[in-house]
Amino acid sequence: MTETTQTQTMPSRGGGKPSSPEFRVVMDAWRRLRHDLIDDAFAYRPMPPMKMDGLFTSRLSGRLRAYTAWAPHAAVVTAGLLSMTIAASATDSDGIAALIAAAFALIPILLTMVRPVAAFWASMIATPLTSVFSGMWDDWPWTAGSFAAHLVVMTVVALRSRPRTAAWMWGLTAAYGVFVESTIGGGHYASNTGPLLVISAMSLLAASALTIRRTAQREVTAQQTVTEHERSRRTLLEERTTIARELHDVVAHHMSVVAIQAEAAPYRVENPPPELEQAFATIRENAVAALTELRRVLGVVRAEDYEAPDAPQPTLADLDGLLANVREAGLTVDKAVTGAVRELPQGVELSAYRIVQEALSNSLRHAPGATARVEIGYVLGGLGLRVVNGPSPEVNLVKSTHGTGHGLTGMRERVTMLNGEMTANETADGGYEVTVFLPVPGASEADA
């Protein structure tokens, strides 16, 4: 009995010989290294001021608070000056060599405040250049100035980058130290690669731990902000649901009373005229229709598993029924349609119907006995609506004072939702005019 072990390989990008898992691991590591230390080498990332929300910094005020915010920059500059002093004092050559060594120690540290990854490469390049001025009894391969500067650079970069970048820097530093010591380090008395790697490892671990902690705090703060926003939004929705339920209880009660009274009123009058019976029948039909629509809307608010009724929403095709209903209520209204009548998106049809309905309702309330006109224009770019009514000629009728402006607000919300335009102004003769344009995308845009 034999066992066969199959190794799954992935085809290469060029379609040739498939690559092994080890090769993919190496290539993935190379891509991450290239992204962290090569592609991001010259990224401009200025060091921001320190946040003043700590336990002690939040208590500061005035000029001291403004100065304390720049404490990280001052610390980097101080470390750079200290490294420059060490580099200049540890050089046994003339003044020019000491000046060059001091510059090679200071520049990479200052560069960490604007281009941190580039500062690491600058420190790596400055290390062999500075070692040219060292003797066989000096530290190798890092001189005293380079040792201090490189340690500061790696620490600052680790504080400003992800932990993976700190690991890459430590690995490259170790590789450089081992390579130099094994090739050209035989003529020197002692090596400081080991001490640098040990000290830098502890420093980078501390910096990475601090970076991870700050990242976790930012994520927790962001999550708390989102949670608080969702909690506020849920509270608002619950309040709206409660208001909607209370509104239903109040409105449904009064509308039910209106419907019952309208149905019973003809029987309380002996030989009522047909016009009176028709008026009460119209009142009852409108009350029942309002109750039905109120319960339908409230069903969406109350039930999570609410299913929409099979009855379609009103469209412009149902506008004649609306106008007939309004005429029975006492408003003289005409309709004019221009352009090629065509089927529009359901949202546009429903919004147009509701806008005309609300405009005519306003005419009934605020201009009793007036005449109104509804104009519908089918144009190439959308749908135009114009509802205008004249002044009320009935001097013995009192205009309604129960309006609160919610009707116009609702119309504007519908128009804004469809990226349309709306104007509502009084006319020169004392009437009122509502003009709306609802854009309708073309067939090519709708298909897209």
Side-chain angles (χ1 to χ4, degrees):
M1 182 176 180
T2 59
E3 295 182 358
T4 303
T5 303
Q6 297 181 353
T7 302
Q8 184 177 2
T9 57
M10 298 294 294
S12 61
R13 294 184 179 180
K17 185 178 179 180
S19 58
S20 63
E22 293 80 5
F23 178 79
R24 292 198 301 272
V25 170
V26 173
M27 293 303 298
D28 183 64
W30 163 248
R31 282 193 295 269
R32 294 182 179 182
L33 173 63
R34 184 179 60 186
H35 176 270
D36 294 338
L37 294 183
I38 300 178
D39 297 340
D40 199 28
F42 296 98
Y44 181 69
R45 290 163 48 198
M47 180 182 293
M50 183 175 62
K51 295 183 178 180
M52 305 300 293
D53 54 357
L55 180 61
F56 299 102
T57 55
S58 59
R59 302 179 181 179
L60 302 177
S61 60
R63 184 171 297 180
L64 181 60
R65 181 183 180 90
Y67 288 159
T68 306
W70 299 99
H73 303 74
V76 173
V77 173
T78 302
L81 295 176
L82 181 61
S83 300
M84 181 184 67
T85 304
I86 296 174
S89 61
T91 303
D92 298 332
S93 303
D94 53 5
I96 297 178
L99 183 62
I100 295 176
F104 283 161
L106 177 63
I107 292 176
I109 296 178
L110 297 181
L111 194 60
T112 58
M113 294 189 292
V114 289
R115 302 184 189 275
V117 178
F120 167 75
W121 289 114
S123 179
M124 291 291 292
I125 295 173
T127 297
L129 297 179
T130 307
S131 63
V132 174
F133 303 102
S134 63
M136 63 174 298
W137 299 104
D138 295 330
D139 295 330
W140 177 262
W142 281 273
T143 62
S146 298
F147 189 98
H150 197 66
L151 184 61
V152 171
V153 166
M154 287 197 297
T155 304
V156 175
V157 175
L159 288 172
R160 304 196 59 206
S161 305
R162 64 182 68 183
R164 192 175 66 191
T165 304
W168 289 126
M169 291 190 300
W170 190 88
L172 290 177
T173 301
Y176 170 80
V178 172
F179 173 78
V180 171
E181 288 186 4
S182 60
T183 54
I184 57 177
H188 290 269
Y189 179 75
S191 170
N192 57 2
T193 299
L196 176 62
L197 294 180
V198 173
I199 298 175
S200 63
M202 293 187 293
S203 176
L204 295 179
L205 284 176
S208 299
L210 183 59
T211 302
I212 294 174
R213 182 175 179 271
R214 288 186 303 184
T215 303
Q217 287 179 341
R218 286 195 298 266
E219 293 177 355
V220 169
T221 303
Q223 186 63 36
Q224 289 177 347
T225 303
V226 173
T227 303
E228 185 64 26
H229 176 72
E230 292 295 332
R231 186 182 296 111
S232 301
R233 183 173 178 271
R234 184 169 60 251
T235 302
L236 178 61
L237 293 178
E238 291 175 356
E239 290 293 333
R240 288 183 176 179
T241 303
T242 302
I243 294 173
R245 292 172 179 173
E246 294 175 354
L247 181 64
H248 169 264
D249 295 339
V250 174
V251 176
H253 169 72
H254 290 288
M255 294 301 294
S256 299
V257 172
V258 170
I260 294 173
Q261 293 291 336
E263 185 177 6
Y267 298 100
R268 298 181 179 179
V269 180
E270 185 177 357
N271 298 323
E275 294 82 2
L276 183 61
E277 291 183 353
Q278 180 62 34
F280 281 121
T282 302
I283 293 174
R284 183 183 182 280
E285 290 176 0
N286 284 315
V288 173
L291 279 172
T292 302
E293 188 162 355
L294 179 63
R295 292 191 179 98
R296 179 185 62 82
V297 174
L298 191 65
V300 178
V301 177
R302 282 183 170 177
E304 296 181 357
D305 56 348
Y306 176 80
E307 295 182 0
D310 296 334
Q313 295 291 330
T315 62
L316 292 177
D318 304 317
L319 200 57
D320 292 336
L322 174 64
L323 298 182
N325 194 2
V326 173
R327 292 189 185 102
E328 292 179 358
L331 181 67
T332 302
V333 58
D334 297 328
K335 183 182 75 168
V337 180
T338 58
V341 179
R342 65 186 186 275
E343 184 177 357
L344 300 176
Q346 183 178 1
V348 176
E349 292 269 358
L350 176 61
S351 296
Y353 180 90
R354 295 301 187 194
I355 290 172
V356 174
Q357 183 184 40
E358 182 59 35
L360 294 178
S361 298
N362 289 339
S363 300
L364 282 171
R365 286 194 299 268
H366 303 291
T371 59
R373 180 177 176 83
V374 178
E375 299 178 0
I376 303 174
Y378 291 87
V379 296
L380 183 62
L383 178 70
L385 298 174
R386 181 175 180 266
V387 182
V388 58
N389 63 268
S392 175
E394 303 290 342
V395 295
N396 59 337
L397 293 178
V398 180
K399 295 183 180 181
S400 174
T401 59
H402 298 291
T404 59
H406 293 296
L408 286 176
T409 302
M411 285 191 286
R412 294 187 187 279
E413 289 177 350
R414 290 182 181 274
V415 173
T416 303
M417 180 181 62
L418 297 174
N419 297 323
E421 299 177 358
M422 172 181 166
T423 58
N425 299 301
E426 293 186 2
T427 59
D429 59 354
Y432 205 80
E433 179 184 23
V434 176
T435 305
V436 173
F437 176 75
L438 302 176
V440 178
S444 59
E445 297 178 1
D447 295 339

